[in-house]
Amino acid sequence: MGRQSSALARLGMTDAAFWSDNRVLVTGHTGFKGSWLSLWLSDMGAEVFGLALAPDTEPALFDQLGLRDRMDHAEVDLRDAEGVTARIHAVAPDVVFHLAAQPLVRRSYAQPVETWATNVQGTVHVLDAIRTAGRPCTVVVSTTDKVYQNREWTYGYRESDRLGGHDPYSASKAATELVIASYRDAFFAEGDVKLASARAGNVIGGGDWAEDRIIPDLVRSLRDGRAVEVRNPGATRPWQHVLEPLSGYLAYAERLHTGTAPPSLNFGPDPNANRPVGDLLDVALRHWPGGWRDVSGGAQVHEAGRLALSTELAKDSLGWSPCWDFEESVKHTIDWYRAVTGGADALAMTRAQIQAFEGGT
C-alpha cells in the first residue's frame, strides 16, 4: 500500500484520493500544530495554502521543515478583517482548518485584549469571509480541552458539558465555540458550508518551541545543561502526540465533507495518559537524562489542576481512536528533539514519525 493510501487507511477514510483533489487552507500554518498538518497534507498531495503571522519563535518548525517552499504561504493577521477576507476569497478553499490563535494561557494574562481579539474576533473574520465567499466549503475550527467550565472532575468532559473559562485564553476559546455555533445555525444550516469544532487535549511533539510550555522548556534546559523549573508538577493533563488530534481533524473534515458528523468532537488520549506534569518529565528524562525542580511555592497565575476529555463520541462517529500510548508519545517527542538538536534533519525526522504513526508503530 502506498504512503498516501496507508495514511488514509489509518484515518478510516473511504476515498484514497480525497486530499489530493482538494484545495486546503490552514490558518496558523506557521505554528507548531499548523506546521505538522501542512506538511502532512502536502505530502498527501493536497494543494495547501496558509494564513498566519510570521513564526514567533527561533527556531520555528515552519522554517525547519522548509514549508515556505512547499505551500502557498501568506502572512495575514486574523484581526485584519479585509486581509483575511481577501486571502480566503482568493484561495477559494474546499477545506479550511482554522488553527490560528493566541494559544498560551500565561500570555493571555499579560495580553488579554490581544487574546480575545485574535481568538474570538479573528474567528469571526474567518467564518464571515467563508460566508461571503459563497461557495461549498468544509471548516474544522480547532479549539481546546480548556473550553469546558473546569470543575476538577476526575472523569473526562463530554461535548455536551458546560462551556466556561477562568483565564482569558480558556474563556476566549469557550466564546469561540459560541461564535462557531452561531455561524452554523444562522448562516450555514441549510447551505453548502459544513462547520465543526475540534477540541483537543494537551499536545506534545517535536518542533514546539513556544514559551511557557513544559516540553519546550525542558528541551531548552537539557540543551543548556540545567534543570528545568516546573511551576505545577501535580497538574494533570490529557497528554497526546500532536499527530493524534491532527489525524482526528483530517478524519473529521472528510466525514463532514462527504456526509454528516457531530458539530463538536473531543480528541484526546486514552484515560491512562491523563498524567501529572511530574510523570511526563520523569518519562521524558529516561530518553534524555537530566533533571527538574519544583518551583510551585511562588506566586502563580490560576491554571486548571486537572483536565481530561471523553473521546467516546469521536470513536462512535468517526471510528477514530488514539494510536500511541503515553510512553510512546513521550518517546517520539524526545527522540525528535534529541536527534534534531544533535544535527539530524528536521524534515526527515518529521516525515519518519508521520510514517511510523500511519503504520501504527
Side-chain angles (χ1 to χ4, degrees):
M1 181 179 288
R3 183 160 180 265
Q4 177 179 313
S5 297
S6 68
L8 298 176
R10 163 72 184 87
L11 302 177
M13 296 182 181
T14 57
D15 182 1
F18 178 81
W19 293 106
S20 63
D21 290 339
N22 279 296
R23 296 165 65 85
V24 183
L25 174 67
V26 179
T27 77
H29 67 289
T30 59
F32 166 52
K33 287 171 73 175
S35 293
W36 276 89
L37 180 59
S38 296
L39 178 65
W40 200 354
L41 286 164
S42 177
D43 283 352
M44 288 194 292
E47 191 174 0
V48 186
F49 302 81
L51 183 164
L53 296 176
D56 66 351
T57 63
E58 178 56 47
L61 183 61
F62 176 77
D63 295 324
Q64 291 178 300
L65 299 180
L67 287 171
R68 203 176 301 268
D69 299 323
R70 300 179 187 281
M71 60 185 294
D72 189 311
H73 164 72
E75 294 180 11
V76 181
D77 192 322
L78 281 182
R79 295 169 293 180
D80 175 7
E82 291 184 0
V84 170
T85 298
R87 177 61 171 166
I88 289 176
H89 286 196
V91 171
D94 300 301
V95 179
V96 175
F97 292 104
H98 178 37
L99 276 59
Q102 192 300 95
L104 301 173
V105 171
R106 287 171 65 85
R107 184 185 291 181
S108 77
Y109 281 99
Q111 301 174 345
V113 174
E114 178 188 18
T115 299
W116 280 84
T118 300
N119 294 353
V120 182
Q121 195 62 35
T123 300
V124 171
H125 294 160
V126 169
L127 297 184
D128 210 58
I130 291 167
R131 178 184 68 85
T132 58
R135 66 185 308 276
C137 187
T138 296
V139 187
V140 174
V141 181
S142 173
T143 60
T144 174
D145 56 351
K146 298 177 181 65
V147 299
Y148 297 107
Q149 181 175 328
N150 188 273
R151 299 178 181 177
E152 302 294 339
W153 285 337
T154 57
Y155 57 87
Y157 293 95
R158 296 168 295 183
E159 289 83 352
S160 58
D161 284 326
R162 185 172 182 176
L163 303 180
H166 182 283
D167 59 88
Y169 168 72
S170 300
S172 72
K173 283 295 193 174
T176 297
E177 290 279 355
L178 297 179
V179 170
I180 296 164
S182 173
Y183 265 80
R184 183 171 49 240
D185 294 341
F187 303 114
F188 303 145
E190 304 299 329
D192 293 324
V193 175
K194 309 290 183 65
L195 172 62
S197 66
R199 304 165 181 174
N202 284 56
V203 295
I204 58 176
D208 185 2
W209 300 106
E211 62 181 341
D212 285 330
R213 281 190 183 147
I214 188 59
I215 291 295
D217 285 349
L218 174 64
V219 169
R220 284 187 283 264
S221 297
L222 291 168
R223 184 188 59 197
D224 298 340
R226 55 185 172 82
V228 65
E229 296 182 346
V230 183
R231 298 188 305 270
N232 194 355
T236 299
R237 298 289 185 268
W239 307 105
Q240 59 185 332
H241 192 276
V242 63
L243 289 172
E244 302 285 9
L246 294 184
S247 71
Y249 298 176
L250 292 168
Y252 202 5
E254 194 204 350
R255 184 64 58 85
L256 287 165
H257 198 83
T258 59
T260 60
S264 300
L265 287 176
N266 292 336
F267 295 99
D270 288 332
N272 62 8
N274 294 320
R275 303 282 190 90
V277 171
D279 285 6
L280 175 71
L281 292 168
D282 290 340
V283 173
L285 292 172
R286 293 179 201 163
H287 303 287
W288 192 347
W292 63 274
R293 63 191 186 91
D294 186 347
V295 295
S296 58
Q300 305 288 344
V301 300
H302 177 274
E303 295 187 70
R306 182 185 298 273
L307 285 174
L309 290 176
S310 168
T311 60
E312 290 305 312
L313 189 56
K315 294 175 184 177
D316 291 344
S317 60
L318 302 181
W320 178 90
S321 61
C323 175
W324 288 338
D325 64 20
F326 177 73
E327 300 269 347
E328 291 172 314
S329 297
V330 178
K331 180 182 186 303
H332 284 292
T333 297
I334 299 303
D335 284 351
W336 190 102
Y337 282 110
R338 195 167 190 183
V340 172
T341 300
D345 180 69
L347 177 61
M349 192 70 184
T350 304
R351 279 179 164 157
Q353 291 198 343
I354 291 173
Q355 287 181 301
F357 182 83
E358 290 170 350
T361 60

